[in-house]
């Protein structure tokens, strides 16, 4: 097989890139190792920055998002049994965020891709990227029981943290930076209407809790738990009781309880790989960087990578201009590091330390008091949460 751009990974980053390139008249092929059913069902993020919403509109993939997405005007911070609303439009000049599950984004993009887009191959396992320094890099992959090759002008690795794309970078040309946090998140999906109109970030004496949602009838909630927690050690009643305790305020508010349909534990880590380009191999999304989910940046960072890359490749094939492509890694990493910093700040401010450090606990409360008492500090949080501008 031969194409201009070979895309490894059929998650939101790879699918959105394919859609944007298709609309720009640039040929591409997407290789996804999993089945369509698996890709469309895996639970991931659900908070979209305004720029991510714009990108889906640009890709022609926002019809259901427009009809079903839940536009939020801000978030609520809870601590010391108090509640404080952070008003994004008032603090950012009108920006909002939207709740729309990543599973639904993937379904929308897959449907469009199969209907009128470039080739999308499921159960096509990428084995290696060869000759990334040449003008015709090759992806070896396994599909329908036999090994095949995809020869490209460019290869884009959108295959996540555990994918093979990053392995094609030579060790001497790679740098990585990582931090593992001493706690995890226990996340649940529940068939119950949300207990609040917007997301609640709560710092309690026993740890962090997050109230989110997937739809008007489905809630998504998280608890800070020790690393290596087994979800089976948390029966439903224990989860609901702990959530209620961490969200508790001095006022009238009730946590709605309902059937828990899914439980999972997510480790918390930060990871950045530099650079994001080697020869004609480029990385996007989780293949290049991971952030703790506290700042809701993972999916949004992947989309911002793809938007820059789609513009760069479109410019190359439209006019021969390589300036944006040559600066792809530099430009994306500027935003990646700012999102990593913000995610780390949010994580450290809201999670209790396993060693019970009393000084750190007071510093956390001081940071929260600063945000809720200072318009300048609140505006800084709102600007980062709702999405920093693209670097181009």
């Amino acid at each position: 097989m031969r194409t201009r751009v070979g895309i490894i990974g059929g998650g939101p980053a790879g699918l959105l890139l394919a859609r944007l390139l298709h609309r720009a008249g640039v040929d591409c092929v997407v290789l996804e190792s999993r089945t369509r059913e698996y890709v469309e069902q895996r639970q991931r993020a659900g908070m979209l920055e305004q720029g991510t919403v714009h990108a889906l509109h640009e890709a022609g993939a926002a019809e259901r998002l427009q009809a079903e997405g839940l536009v939020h005007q801000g978030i609520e911070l809870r601590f010391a049994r108090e509640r404080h609303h952070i008003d994004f439009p008032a603090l950012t000049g009108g920006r909002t965020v939207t709740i729309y599950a990543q599973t639904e984004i993937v379904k929308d993009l897959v449907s469009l891709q199969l209907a009128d887009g470039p080739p999308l191959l499921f159960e096509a396992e990428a084995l290696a990227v060869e000759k990334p320094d040449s003008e015709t890099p090759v992806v070896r992959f396994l599909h329908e029981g036999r090994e095949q090759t995809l020869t490209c002008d460019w290869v884009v690795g959108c295959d996540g943290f555990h994918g093979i794309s990053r392995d094609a970078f030579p060790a001497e040309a790679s740098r990585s930076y990582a931090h593992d946090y001493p706690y995890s998140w226990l996340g649940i999906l529940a068939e119950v209407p949300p207990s609040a109109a917007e997301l609640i970030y709560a710092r309690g004496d026993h740890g962090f809790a997050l109230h989110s949602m997937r739809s008007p009838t489905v809630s998504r909630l998280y608890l800070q738990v020790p690393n290596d927690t087994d979800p089976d050690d948390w029966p439903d009643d224990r989860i609901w009781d702990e959530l209620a305790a961490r969200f508790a305020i001095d006022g009238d508010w009730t946590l709605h309880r309902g059937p828990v349909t899914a439980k999972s534990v997510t480790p918390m880590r930060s990871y950045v790989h530099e650079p994001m380009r080697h020869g004609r191999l480029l990385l996007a999304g989780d293949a290049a960087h991971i952030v703790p989910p506290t700042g809701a940046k993972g999916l949004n960072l992947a989309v911002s990578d793809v938007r820059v890359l789609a513009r760069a490749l479109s410019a190359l094939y439209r006019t021969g201009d390589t300036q944006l492509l040559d600066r792809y890694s530099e430009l994306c990493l500027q935003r990646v590091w700012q999102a990593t910093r913000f995610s780390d700040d949010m994580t450290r401010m809201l999670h209790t330390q396993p060693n019970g450090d009393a000084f750190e606990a007071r510093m956390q409360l001081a940071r929260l008091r600063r945000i809720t008492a200072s318009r300048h500090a609140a505006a800084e949080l709102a600007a980062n949460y709702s999405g920093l501008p693209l670097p181009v």
Side-chain angles (χ1 to χ4, degrees):
M1 297 176 66
R2 181 72 170 88
T3 191
R4 283 178 165 176
V5 181
I7 301 172
I8 305 174
L15 292 169
L16 180 59
L17 176 60
R19 193 70 194 159
L20 292 171
L21 291 177
H22 175 63
R23 290 168 73 87
V26 179
D27 296 337
C28 61
V29 173
V30 181
L31 306 176
E32 167 54 48
S33 63
R34 303 283 194 163
T35 65
R36 177 180 181 180
E37 291 72 22
Y38 180 90
V39 169
E40 291 185 340
Q41 292 174 11
R42 56 188 169 191
Q43 293 293 329
R44 292 293 189 272
M47 196 291 291
L48 310 184
E49 296 174 357
Q50 192 159 301
T52 297
V53 173
H54 290 165
L56 291 167
H57 277 279
E58 183 184 350
E63 184 175 347
R64 279 208 308 138
L65 166 63
Q66 190 73 23
E68 301 174 18
L70 306 175
V71 177
H72 284 192
Q73 307 292 317
I75 60 172
E76 184 177 305
L77 296 177
R78 291 192 181 184
F79 58 94
R81 302 184 66 87
E82 303 169 6
R83 61 195 304 182
H84 300 268
H85 183 250
I86 307 298
D87 187 330
F88 289 172
L91 294 164
T92 64
R95 294 213 302 273
T96 60
V97 297
T98 300
I99 302 300
Y100 188 67
Q102 179 173 312
T103 49
E104 304 310 309
I105 294 173
V106 170
K107 289 175 187 176
D108 295 342
L109 290 169
V110 166
S111 178
L112 286 168
Q113 187 87 349
L114 295 178
D116 69 350
L120 165 57
L121 305 182
F122 290 105
E123 298 180 83
E125 181 185 1
L127 303 174
V129 178
E130 299 178 343
K131 304 188 297 181
D133 288 316
S134 73
E135 293 186 357
T136 53
V138 173
V139 182
R140 283 196 297 109
F141 67 100
L142 190 64
H143 184 54
E144 296 181 341
R146 64 188 182 91
E147 189 172 307
Q148 303 181 50
T149 59
L150 177 63
T151 302
C152 318
D153 295 345
W154 300 87
V155 175
V156 182
C158 299
D159 49 346
F161 182 74
H162 298 290
I164 60 93
S165 298
R166 199 170 60 248
D167 294 340
F169 278 61
E172 63 273 15
S174 300
R175 300 176 301 278
S176 62
Y177 307 87
H179 177 74
D180 293 311
Y181 296 85
Y183 34 74
S184 299
W185 277 10
L186 171 64
I188 66 166
L189 278 174
E191 293 289 341
V192 61
S195 304
E198 295 176 337
L199 274 65
I200 302 172
Y201 285 77
R203 183 205 175 279
D205 291 339
H206 297 121
F208 168 77
L210 172 62
H211 175 287
S212 184
M213 64 282 293
R214 286 293 177 265
S215 75
T217 60
V218 177
S219 294
R220 181 72 160 154
L221 302 109
Y222 299 91
L223 283 170
Q224 176 188 345
V225 293
N227 287 337
D228 302 319
T229 290
D230 184 345
D232 291 338
D233 292 337
W234 283 79
D236 294 2
D237 286 345
R238 182 186 178 191
I239 292 173
W240 288 118
D241 289 346
E242 189 62 29
L243 285 167
R246 296 188 193 185
F247 287 129
I249 57 170
D250 292 329
D252 184 20
W253 185 83
T254 301
L255 176 67
H256 301 154
R257 304 184 181 212
V260 175
T261 59
K263 299 178 189 176
S264 62
V265 172
T266 302
M268 308 282 281
R269 76 179 326 223
S270 293
Y271 175 89
V272 179
H273 180 277
E274 295 183 354
M276 292 173 60
R277 174 184 172 181
H278 173 68
R280 294 203 169 200
L281 170 62
L282 307 111
L283 302 178
D286 288 359
H289 41 74
I290 298 286
V291 290
T294 325
K297 292 293 147 221
L299 170 62
N300 294 293
L301 269 184
V303 170
S304 65
D305 291 347
V306 162
R307 293 176 74 192
V308 174
L309 187 50
R311 292 180 188 179
L313 289 167
S314 298
L316 171 70
Y317 286 109
R318 187 176 64 252
T319 68
D321 186 353
T322 66
Q323 292 186 66
L324 188 52
L325 196 54
D326 291 339
R327 298 188 64 207
Y328 168 72
S329 180
E330 171 198 348
L331 292 171
C332 286
L333 284 170
Q334 291 175 14
R335 199 174 194 273
V336 165
W337 276 114
Q338 287 303 315
T340 302
R341 175 200 56 78
F342 173 69
S343 299
D344 182 75
D345 287 348
M346 288 283 284
T347 301
R348 294 177 187 274
M349 180 174 67
L350 291 163
H351 291 74
T352 57
Q353 297 302 308
N355 63 5
D357 188 317
F359 177 82
E360 181 58 30
R362 299 302 292 181
M363 290 299 97
Q364 290 173 324
L365 290 173
R367 293 184 188 102
L368 288 163
R369 292 282 182 211
R370 170 66 178 167
I371 290 169
T372 56
S374 163
R375 181 180 177 85
H376 175 78
E380 175 71 9
L381 186 153
N384 281 273
Y385 195 99
S386 60
L388 298 175
L390 281 186
V392 293

